[in-house]
Amino acid sequence: MAMRSHYCGLVTEALLGQTVTLCGWVNRRRDHGGVIFIDLRDREGTVQVVCDPDRPEMFHTAEEVRNEYCVQVTGLVRARPAGTTNDKLKSGQIEVLCHELKVLNPSVTPPFQLDEENLSETTRLTHRVLDLRRPYMQHNLMLRYRVAMEVRKFLDANGFIDIETPMLTKSTPEGARDYLVPSRVHPGMFFALPQSPQLFKQLLMVAGFDRYYQITKCFRDEDLRADRQPEFTQIDIETSFMDEQDIRALFEHMVRTVFQNTLGIDLGSFPVMSYQEAARRFGSDKPDLRVRLEFTELTDVMKEVDFKVFSAAANMPGGRVVALRVPGGAEISRSEIDGYTEFVKIYGAKGLAWIKVNEVAKGRDGLQSPIVKNLHDAALDAILARSGAQDGDLIFFGADKEKVVNDAIGALRIKIGHSEFGKKKGLFEDRWAPLWVVDFPMFEFDEDEQRWNAVHHPFTAPKDGHEDWMVSAPEKCLSKAYDMVLNGWELGGGSVRIHRADVQQKVFDALKISPEEAQLKFGFLLDALQYGAPPHGGLAFGLDRMITLMTGAESIRDVIAFPKTQRAQCLLTHAPSPVDEKQLRELHIRLRSVEAPKAA
Amino acid sequence: MAMRSHYCGLVTEALLGQTVTLCGWVNRRRDHGGVIFIDLRDREGTVQVVCDPDRPEMFHTAEEVRNEYCVQVTGLVRARPAGTTNDKLKSGQIEVLCHELKVLNPSVTPPFQLDEENLSETTRLTHRVLDLRRPYMQHNLMLRYRVAMEVRKFLDANGFIDIETPMLTKSTPEGARDYLVPSRVHPGMFFALPQSPQLFKQLLMVAGFDRYYQITKCFRDEDLRADRQPEFTQIDIETSFMDEQDIRALFEHMVRTVFQNTLGIDLGSFPVMSYQEAARRFGSDKPDLRVRLEFTELTDVMKEVDFKVFSAAANMPGGRVVALRVPGGAEISRSEIDGYTEFVKIYGAKGLAWIKVNEVAKGRDGLQSPIVKNLHDAALDAILARSGAQDGDLIFFGADKEKVVNDAIGALRIKIGHSEFGKKKGLFEDRWAPLWVVDFPMFEFDEDEQRWNAVHHPFTAPKDGHEDWMVSAPEKCLSKAYDMVLNGWELGGGSVRIHRADVQQKVFDALKISPEEAQLKFGFLLDALQYGAPPHGGLAFGLDRMITLMTGAESIRDVIAFPKTQRAQCLLTHAPSPVDEKQLRELHIRLRSVEAPKAA
């Protein structure tokens, strides 16, 4: 429309012989044999524009344009001369012979070349507008849009409706830290930005909207790890009158549809694995199934070995001893093993025992390891038999509290799998590996506080028949929670919720939340459950993470237009920033420090 | 799926003879001749369920259910007996003969009947979950969803992509008051919640995304008038490489498509009216064209009349005198005229002169009014001729500063048009009346501050050829701004933006914004404009207001799931609320008042 007839990147041989008008940015200009070539770029790609000196006015303009000038070109689409075509571009078979060239806006010299690699993140975020012009960022954000739109189309077709929930809501001091917003009208009072629309979406189910979704911002004021942002985007979904299996089936279908329609990838049907099995086999509740390494359980046979590290772990309450067999691992050098030993310490392991399997047939004598002499024959036999050890393997061991073993050996499993060695040895399958993890425990015991906490959140329903264990035997009680995992990342998760006030009360009892406290924090939900709340459940997907996975981006910040740094700052707009004293006074607050920061 | 085969409201004669399973709420239960009838309700409507005593177990359950119980029904779809059909319901030709009835969740007695009218807003907002179950609110929010989805589909088909902009952004102390968010990581610093994504969407254009949209929350901490909310939803749009006419044409097409596809209404093509014409004829920049009343300009003929009120206004700089002829208005009583006189005082008018036209043919003698004696013949002739007065009309007058006249007589025009009298006399057309208002002034003079302010915002482009007036003659300078008006409400508005740094600088000069101040507030935009910013423009629609208009809702709060009161509170969750001292300490702030409020 208007200033343009076509996008640059979409001019193809279908338009041969036609006159087109294009608008875009000068990606590159080169003079070659008295002719000027301009690679003109817009969001759909680039096209080659040829400026001949036989139109002197146009040619003069062409001589003046520089990189990142915004220009309008009118010209004739013609075939590129033989030998100069470019099969990598959609427009690679043609070029545009320029008739008119107009500078819409010149550009000063950019602080970096758009095709420069290894730019620092500080440079990129400071000059975000130019960074966003790069095809990599254009692609990431356009894919993000396509994914969100595919999600909307799928949900629309399935009767889900988008209902907006408040951004200015109530602080509930649990979970992560809230972002607070002082109220001007109500002195001393604060709104909180939502950590998720959890309670509101449950209220919408009680209100009878039946199927809800929202793609919405959530906020957590946490110390930022590599892949966290103060504000992040959630695909938030809730439905009434569907059970756990129905919900999983529908949203597996949704994610498969989205991958198919945006990337052309069929994820196949998702395996379902219990939390218990995932922990047992992979030491993780979000196992990366691309890594072909599994734990071997050894706790039972290590109770009476002389090697104290193993026997102590095998005998302590909640202790665990496992092996991780690495096929072909005998090639791994001592210094690499030392590196892995340091690595597992990050996860709380005190060391990393190992055995090199030189010759299985020789039994004890075929093994090379500092610990073999302290293991009795039955233990050694179990290690070799259960792990299926072969000549040339390396076996690592973890022995500690279960959590430490799972975290440390689980991380080691990933690290070896993803290493050059792992890829060479076929320990890593290059594929998409989705699964559901189900049957999570309802509660976990907090040793420090000496109390039970909810593994998901206190509105998660127990499995049928587990209700009575909530107070009598919380450790046995499983929940109707489920996580969708892809390539070792949690893509989303949710649960069937409690819809009866009496069951909700039992959970609060188990969590030692007093009726007063429950009323104060969740009174509006408890109240709502009394009025014929329907059976309901749902889940939420992290959109930022999903797009990071789908694009293969290095960082979540590469799939967000204007992200914050890991210090929670916007380098482009310089937010946060100081504000006027008058503004603070209106909000009934003052700064705690004696000296206010200077205006930036 | 799963617990349900069909929605209640969608069971029709197409399902005759089939067994269906329904889930929903008991809207009403009545016993009639030993049979129990249940009106079962879900979001799609209600269906009549018949419970016969020949299935005793089911019948016993039916006897126990009460209003708002959540139940599951399995039964046979059969025709209603002759004479008992209900043409108002989709399901009105059939009923469901109940085979099985299961209570999914009982309900305590609701605090009000769902079909109760004239509930107080406090009651409705306190028990919002039950209020949302009412068909009125279900319809409003479902229409809201359909409108948003139609907007998305239209924009998608036209190459617009949804890109999320930050919620935690920078405070710019102009326009409305910001909601602030204290930073924990950066003591003494604050984020602001966005008043609109204006600067970010312009940056996205400079970044080359070409066509952007977002349906997003915006925030203004203002004292709330009837139709304002602290957080509101904007359909925010920006495009590159389109001029004013193209933009208007495309978004007129969008709004027409949305109305057609959701309400089945063809708005027709929109008239275009200059700001000047709208002010001259209707005293408003958002005229309600359904009201068939117009101003008559009289300033020129009133300069020398004896009636001081008129001559003073006609002679003062920026004064104005107008008539508003009301056909058939001679019927309006003196006490009604007194009421209108009080009404215009709200808008700053000091009084309301009037003339009753008894007989035009008799000239001065045919007129009845306290002011006629002070008007010379030429003035009277002009009044009658220009207004086209007929026997039986009433003519009102406004004389004051132009703004006062426009506001007061403009409001009077609306009030009379919408009155019972106006409707009876055909002064109000019951239709949809859209239009574009264009050619806004760039600047308005602030008498208090003795400086020029931007009428829209300082990024609005001047009309071609008006650039040089920006400093030399700001009052003559018109802008490329446009508002879409429907039935007297501003539905949306926007402008072509300035894309050249030198033009932007001229605007800041005209507004007396120093280079330092400009750099501090908008430095990132000014910086971006240097790098080949494309010609661009856009607009934003207020979604809440659009849905209020489309549904005919009484209040904007009836089209928002969880609105705030006019005191900016959520009665459901009790937000805002006090927070822990620890939270404040972490945010480096303290309360200004000596006494902290008690925890609620």
Side-chain angles (χ1 to χ4, degrees), chain A residues 450-567:
Chain A
Q450 286 290 304
R451 54 180 278 177
W452 293 95
N453 287 331
V455 167
H456 275 68
H457 52 59
F459 319 112
T460 301
K463 288 240 153 208
D464 296 336
H466 290 213
E467 294 88 348
D468 290 337
W469 288 337
M470 288 201 287
V471 175
S472 65
E475 71 284 358
K476 282 163 68 177
C477 189
L478 300 182
S479 74
K480 292 183 178 174
Y482 33 82
D483 279 357
M484 188 188 287
V485 175
L486 180 61
N487 294 359
W489 291 41
E490 185 195 324
L491 210 57
S495 63
V496 172
R497 325 299 180 186
I498 295 166
H499 68 284
R500 294 187 62 125
D502 55 340
V503 178
Q504 186 65 69
Q505 191 52 57
K506 278 188 197 169
V507 172
F508 289 149
D509 290 347
L511 296 172
K512 302 259 191 313
I513 296 176
S514 72
E516 296 72 32
E517 191 183 352
Q519 195 58 41
L520 186 64
K521 286 183 185 168
F522 314 115
F524 52 100
L525 178 66
L526 293 176
D527 188 51
L529 291 182
Q530 297 185 302
Y531 297 105
H536 64 287
L539 72 180
F541 294 93
L543 181 62
D544 308 296
R545 189 177 282 179
M546 190 186 288
I547 307 302
T548 306
L549 262 175
M550 292 177 84
T551 56
E554 279 177 27
S555 156
I556 206 170
R557 293 181 293 283
D558 285 358
V559 302
I560 297 172
F562 302 104
K564 304 285 187 295
T565 64
Q566 283 177 257
R567 292 264 301 154

Side-chain angles (χ1 to χ4, degrees), chain B residues 13 28 30 39 46-48 80-95:
Chain B
E13 45 278 42
R28 205 150 66 103
R30 51 192 200 285
D39 288 342
T46 60
V47 68
Q48 178 166 289
R80 292 200 192 191
T84 68
T85 60
N86 181 345
D87 291 341
K88 286 187 196 153
L89 296 180
K90 269 194 198 161
S91 69
Q93 306 304 311
I94 59 90
E95 60 189 14

Side-chain angles (χ1 to χ4, degrees), chain B residues 44-60:
Chain B
E44 302 296 337
T46 60
V47 68
Q48 178 166 289
V49 177
V50 183
C51 304
D52 263 343
D54 56 2
R55 295 179 189 253
E57 193 186 348
M58 178 277 291
F59 191 77
H60 179 68

Side-chain angles (χ1 to χ4, degrees), chain A residues 575-579 584 589 591, chain B residues 169 171 180-183 188-192 589:
Chain A
S577 61
V579 298
L584 299 183
I589 58 171
L591 298 184
Chain B
T169 178
S171 178
L180 296 182
V181 183
S183 164
M189 306 277 206
F190 292 78
F191 294 102
I589 58 172

Side-chain angles (χ1 to χ4, degrees), chain B residues 442-462:
Chain B
M442 276 287 281
F443 306 104
E444 64 191 348
F445 195 71
D446 184 329
E447 298 282 351
D448 297 337
E449 303 263 331
Q450 286 290 306
R451 53 179 279 178
W452 292 95
N453 285 332
V455 168
H456 274 69
H457 53 58
F459 318 113
T460 302

Side-chain angles (χ1 to χ4, degrees), chain B residues 365-416:
Chain B
D365 293 338
L367 305 178
Q368 176 188 343
S369 162
I371 66 165
V372 167
K373 61 180 183 296
N374 292 320
L375 299 177
H376 53 56
D377 287 345
L380 280 182
D381 290 349
I383 291 169
L384 296 177
R386 291 186 189 177
S387 71
Q390 309 282 322
D391 295 354
D393 290 353
L394 179 65
I395 302 174
F396 286 113
F397 296 89
D400 208 313
K401 282 184 196 160
E402 183 174 359
K403 181 172 163 34
V404 173
V405 169
N406 289 352
D407 289 353
I409 306 302
L412 180 65
R413 173 181 170 270
I414 300 295
K415 190 163 181 77
I416 294 173

Side-chain angles (χ1 to χ4, degrees), chain B residues 158-178:
Chain B
N158 282 278
F160 286 80
I161 66 175
D162 179 348
I163 301 178
E164 296 169 64
T165 55
M167 287 284 141
L168 294 172
T169 178
K170 188 183 178 173
S171 178
T172 52
E174 68 165 32
R177 207 181 278 113
D178 283 321

